[in-house]
Amino acid sequence: MTARILVVDDIPANVKLLEARLLAEYFDVLTAANGYDALAICERTQVDLILLDVMMPGIDGFEVCERLKDNPRTAHIPVVMVTALDQPSDRVRGLKAGADDFLTKPVNDLQLMSRVKSLVRLKTLTDELRGRAAAAHAIGVEAGLVAALGDEPGSVLLVDGRGSSQERIVRALRPIADVTCMSDPQAALFEAAENPFELVIVNANFTEYDPLRLCSQLRSLERTRYLPILLISEQDNDDMVVRALDLGVTDYLMRPIEPNELLARSLTQIRRKRYNDRLRSSVTQSIELAVIDGLTGLHNRRYLDSHLKLLVDRSMARGREMSICITDIDRFKLINDTYGHDVGDAVLREFANRLRTAVRGADLACRYGGEEFVLVMPDTSAETATAVAERLRMTIEQEPFSVPGVAAALQVTASLGIASLLSDSDGPDGLMKRADKALYEAKRSGRNRVVAAAA
């Protein structure tokens, strides 16, 4: 694993020490002697992680962290504060400023490297999602972590073997989250897989159960793979923390639990979960927009072009019949010219709705362009396809279209052309050409009719 890490400290010896440790792990290291230089570096170059001292001249680490998190271009960069301050209030202040962790000098090498690698993995995932969302131009990811939080309470699953500690944790998180408590780790695994939790807190206080097994299982299940996990461990149990971070645990906390630190760490994880969920949703919506016609909600020509060959090849390989129908709204230009494009769009939407009701579940309905629609019917003979098309034609003709803004319902009809696979030498282009020719014949011979291509 490689990444670019920025070390920020006004004491050269501290910088050299951290730089040597990171270079030994093959990280790319940048350095800054003060907060202003650190902010400038982050503005002009890509940084994957920041190790930030707190006590510095000019602006301290807390202010640097706040500025980074307020800047849309740098809000997603993980920040680890490395300092001699060791009071709980200092840790909480750092976490509230947006830091992902707060390590006290002298830093344990093993714990530092495990934390760095864990946060770099998280940054890589977030960068991938941000890149996909930005490439699709679906949302403005510049809103950052805070804007993605929302006002509603988080949904947290607490897995804790002791009722007394459950009560304390629930009380601490009450301002920000609704907490579901469970004492059975295996039951908790199923609960996490079946419900939309935003954070799982695993308290390592079980007498006859290894809590890391639950963490590993949560990471192995597809439905919980990206669910943040906060581990609560005994003080100085570095081995468990290092193993937990290697397994993919997102954050950790040592007992005795400081309520404000628990609240701050949980809030950070919930925010990050919502931010990444928002990015994933953006990518999914972008993919859908690429293959869905925005006006009618049917699949578009791009989707048809990419899937028709697949469906034809599948039918050929299985020796099954397949038919397509191209339908065109009769005299649609007259509707647009008479009533305007808004009415024309309303007619297209209603036509698409009737197309949906007329087709079967296995059929593929697409808007081909303008007022033309294509219906792909796998496992369908020419005779059956003609019957389906006739039913659709009657559905269009027999009930006039009620359109907002037009006093009287509009009488709409459609012409339809049918074609079926002929032989192993047939393909999507030939199929479409024959269906289009049949459609032309339907229009030439009077419209409002179904014509099947000759076998």
Side-chain angles (χ1 to χ4, degrees):
M1 179 186 300
T2 184
R4 180 173 295 165
I5 299 177
L6 173 61
V7 177
V8 188
D9 199 313
D10 62 317
I11 300 176
N14 291 342
V15 173
K16 290 295 183 185
L17 182 60
L18 283 174
E19 185 178 20
R21 292 174 179 174
L22 295 167
L23 289 173
E25 297 290 333
Y26 304 102
F27 289 109
D28 183 15
V29 182
L30 303 174
T31 63
N34 58 69
Y36 293 112
D37 288 347
L39 293 171
I41 290 172
C42 292
E43 275 288 337
R44 67 173 183 263
T45 190
Q46 176 190 335
V47 174
D48 297 305
L49 179 72
I50 302 171
L51 298 179
L52 178 63
D53 186 31
V54 173
M55 306 302 294
M56 294 184 295
I59 55 174
D60 62 20
F62 296 123
E63 186 172 348
V64 172
C65 189
E66 288 172 350
R67 292 193 185 187
L68 288 168
K69 297 303 177 180
D70 286 340
N71 186 339
R73 296 182 59 185
T74 58
H76 61 286
I77 303 175
V79 176
V80 177
M81 289 189 168
V82 184
T83 178
L85 298 174
D86 59 357
Q87 294 301 309
S89 58
D90 296 318
R91 299 174 68 87
V92 172
R93 183 182 175 191
L95 294 168
K96 287 185 176 180
D100 294 85
D101 208 344
F102 197 100
L103 301 180
T104 304
K105 298 176 182 177
V107 178
N108 178 295
D109 279 3
L110 188 60
Q111 194 173 13
L112 171 65
M113 289 306 157
S114 296
R115 196 69 183 108
V116 166
K117 291 175 182 177
S118 173
L119 288 171
V120 166
R121 283 194 297 268
L122 179 63
K123 169 68 161 45
T124 301
L125 171 65
T126 302
D127 281 350
E128 181 180 355
L129 292 171
R130 292 177 71 247
R132 291 178 181 178
H137 301 289
I139 60 168
V141 296
E142 64 273 9
L145 297 177
V146 175
L149 175 61
D151 296 328
E152 67 277 7
S155 179
V156 176
L157 175 62
L158 171 62
V159 189
D160 191 321
R162 300 172 187 169
S164 57
S165 57
Q166 287 182 9
E167 292 177 5
R168 289 194 296 271
I169 292 172
V170 170
R171 187 163 52 249
L173 295 180
R174 187 169 292 128
I176 65 161
D178 296 325
V179 183
T180 300
C181 300
M182 301 193 72
S183 301
D184 182 345
Q186 289 308 301
L189 177 65
F190 289 106
E191 185 75 9
E194 294 298 324
N195 294 281
F197 291 107
E198 296 173 298
L199 172 65
V200 175
I201 300 176
V202 180
N203 199 346
N205 58 5
F206 297 93
T207 55
E208 297 182 358
Y209 181 81
D210 182 359
L212 295 186
R213 183 170 302 280
L214 173 59
C215 298
S216 175
Q217 290 172 328
L218 287 167
R219 280 292 168 262
S220 66
L221 289 178
E222 180 66 28
R223 298 181 69 176
T224 57
R225 184 161 297 164
Y226 303 113
L227 187 57
I229 304 172
L230 173 61
L231 178 72
I232 300 175
S233 177
E234 290 289 350
Q235 192 71 243
D236 300 325
N237 194 346
D238 292 341
D239 289 344
M240 175 174 281
V241 168
V242 170
R243 289 178 62 198
L245 293 173
D246 286 342
L247 285 171
V249 168
T250 324
D251 201 359
Y252 64 92
L253 187 62
M254 298 295 194
R255 285 191 287 267
I257 299 172
E258 207 287 316
N260 288 326
E261 183 175 355
L262 171 64
L263 187 146
R265 288 187 182 275
S266 299
L267 191 57
T268 296
Q269 295 307 318
I270 292 170
R271 282 176 172 169
R272 195 171 291 280
K273 173 69 163 56
R274 292 181 178 177
Y275 179 58
N276 285 341
D277 283 352
R278 184 170 177 234
L279 291 173
R280 287 191 186 93
S281 175
S282 164
V283 172
T284 301
Q285 291 171 5
S286 301
I287 293 172
E288 291 177 352
L289 288 173
V291 297
I292 297 295
D293 175 60
L295 178 65
T296 64
L298 298 177
H299 286 101
N300 60 16
R301 181 168 181 172
R302 177 183 294 178
Y303 186 87
L304 176 67
D305 290 343
S306 63
H307 280 69
L308 183 57
K309 185 178 187 305
L310 175 65
L311 294 172
V312 168
D313 290 346
R314 184 181 299 168
S315 295
M316 292 293 190
R318 296 175 179 176
R320 309 294 291 270
E321 295 179 298
M322 175 178 164
S323 299
I324 67 169
C325 169
I326 301 181
T327 176
D328 183 281
I329 300 176
D330 295 329
R331 298 184 175 88
F332 182 72
K333 184 177 183 300
L334 182 61
I335 296 175
N336 274 335
D337 292 345
T338 304
Y339 301 102
H341 288 280
D342 288 346
V343 171
D345 288 348
V347 168
L348 289 172
R349 283 192 291 267
E350 177 59 22
F351 188 93
N353 290 335
R354 298 193 188 187
L355 180 59
R356 288 189 189 92
T357 62
V359 303
R360 304 159 304 175
D363 298 336
L364 171 63
C366 303
R367 183 184 179 196
Y368 195 59
E371 66 272 23
E372 282 193 343
F373 296 79
V374 173
L375 179 60
V376 183
M377 295 172 277
D379 299 325
T380 305
S381 66
E383 293 77 12
T384 303
T386 302
V388 171
E390 181 61 26
R391 185 172 69 245
L392 173 60
R393 187 197 66 78
M394 293 176 61
T395 300
I396 301 301
E397 179 189 26
Q398 291 178 351
E399 184 180 347
F401 285 37
S402 296
V403 178
V406 179
L410 301 179
Q411 187 68 48
V412 177
T413 62
S415 301
L416 304 95
I418 302 293
S420 300
L421 284 176
L422 294 178
S423 65
D424 291 345
S425 62
D426 207 357
D429 291 340
L431 192 62
M432 288 292 293
K433 285 179 181 177
R434 285 187 285 110
D436 192 56
K437 186 176 180 180
L439 172 63
Y440 174 78
E441 179 61 25
K443 285 189 166 292
R444 190 189 67 80
S445 58
R447 297 185 175 87
N448 188 26
R449 63 193 61 204
V450 177
V451 172

